[in-house]
């Protein structure tokens, strides 16, 4: 049911762009997510002179290096964001408020406890971001953003081996970085 709601929301968001004027709708992709082999897109629509709404989606369906015991960074992340721009929308400094939800399956990575265990579960939370938007031309821009906030992670954890045995279930709340992006932006007219 949740997947249907997300798909309907995304479809409605995209349809709203059909009635937009110049520099009120943009498509973005985050280069940092591409560095982790995660497919991603983030449509953004102008709501008012100094506010926009984005809907970031990132998906990584792959298991890496099959010969190294099931290395994973699988996820499906949905992260909408309301932005307030200090000057005008799509120009200069902005602050953002972003909730997020992700379904994750990660493990056997050289990061903290991810080397010993594989974690599978749900991640949800919210954060506040700060960013800057550089205009390159009529249709192209670059944007950078960092965000901090709180995340709730409910997960099962397993041994890292393929089809490893379940060790347990746990939940945690942590203050974490919630957004890190360097995005290429294309405006649709």
């Amino acid at each position: 049911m949740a997947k249907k709601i997300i798909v309907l929301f995304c479809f409605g968001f995209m349809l709203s762009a059909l009635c937009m004027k110049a520099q009120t709708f943009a498509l973005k992709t985050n280069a940092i997510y591409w560095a982790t082999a995660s497919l991603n897109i983030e449509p953004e629509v102008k709501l008012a002179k100094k506010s926009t709404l984005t809907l970031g989606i990132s998906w990584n369906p792959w298991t890496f290096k099959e010969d190294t015991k099931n290395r994973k960074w699988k996820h499906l992340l949905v992260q909408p964001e309301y932005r307030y721009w200090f000057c005008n929308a799509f120009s200069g400094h902005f602050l953002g408020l972003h909730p997020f939800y992700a379904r994750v399956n990660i493990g056997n990575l050289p990061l903290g406890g991810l080397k010993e265990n594989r974690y599978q579960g749900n991640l949800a939370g919210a954060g506040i971001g700060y960013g800057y938007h550089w205009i390159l031309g009529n249709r192209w821009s670059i944007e950078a953003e960092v965000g901090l906030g709180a995340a709730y992670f409910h997960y099962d954890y397993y041994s890292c081996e393929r089809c490893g045995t379940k060790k347990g279930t746990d939940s945690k709340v942590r203050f974490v970085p919630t957004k890190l992006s360097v995005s290429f932006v294309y405006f649709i007219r």
Side-chain angles (χ1 to χ4, degrees):
M1 181 64 179
K3 287 182 183 179
K4 288 180 183 177
I5 292 171
I6 291 170
V7 168
L8 287 173
F9 181 76
C10 293
F11 184 71
F13 189 84
M14 294 299 213
L15 280 179
S16 69
L18 295 176
C19 301
M20 299 293 155
K21 296 178 183 171
Q23 303 243 326
T24 59
F25 183 74
L27 286 177
K28 302 186 288 188
T29 189
N30 185 346
I32 294 173
Y33 287 176
W34 284 106
T36 64
S38 300
L39 305 171
N40 70 90
I41 191 164
E42 189 172 353
E44 184 169 10
V45 63
K46 182 177 177 181
L47 301 175
K49 182 179 178 182
K50 293 186 175 190
S51 65
T52 60
L53 181 66
T54 70
L55 178 62
I57 300 169
S58 174
W59 180 47
N60 187 324
W62 297 287
T63 298
F64 299 106
K65 296 185 180 180
E66 290 291 332
D67 59 331
T68 59
K69 296 185 180 178
N70 208 20
R71 183 174 296 190
K72 295 178 186 283
W73 187 264
K74 291 184 174 186
H75 68 271
L76 175 61
L77 168 70
V78 178
Q79 188 173 39
E81 182 176 44
Y82 172 80
R83 290 182 171 178
Y84 174 79
W85 298 79
F86 292 112
C87 187
N88 289 318
F90 301 115
S91 177
H93 301 273
F94 63 86
L95 290 176
L97 178 62
H98 51 264
F100 58 89
Y101 170 79
R103 179 79 179 145
V104 300
N105 184 357
I106 55 177
N108 198 17
L109 298 169
L111 302 168
L114 296 177
K115 184 68 177 165
E116 295 81 31
N117 296 312
R118 180 177 65 83
Y119 299 89
Q120 185 172 339
N122 298 302
L123 178 67
I128 296 172
Y130 166 77
Y132 192 84
H133 187 102
W134 292 272
I135 298 171
L136 300 177
N138 288 336
R139 292 185 183 254
W140 288 99
S141 296
I142 293 178
E143 179 178 282
E145 183 180 9
V146 295
L148 295 171
Y152 171 75
F153 189 25
H154 179 77
Y155 58 91
D156 297 327
Y157 56 101
Y158 302 82
S159 300
C160 269
E161 297 84 27
R162 180 168 299 286
C163 300
T165 57
K166 182 176 176 180
K167 293 180 169 181
T169 299
D170 203 357
S171 296
K172 293 183 180 178
V173 175
R174 296 279 190 258
F175 288 99
V176 295
T178 54
K179 194 155 193 179
L180 180 61
S181 69
V182 175
S183 299
F184 297 99
V185 183
Y186 181 77
F187 290 98
I188 297 182
R189 295 185 181 176

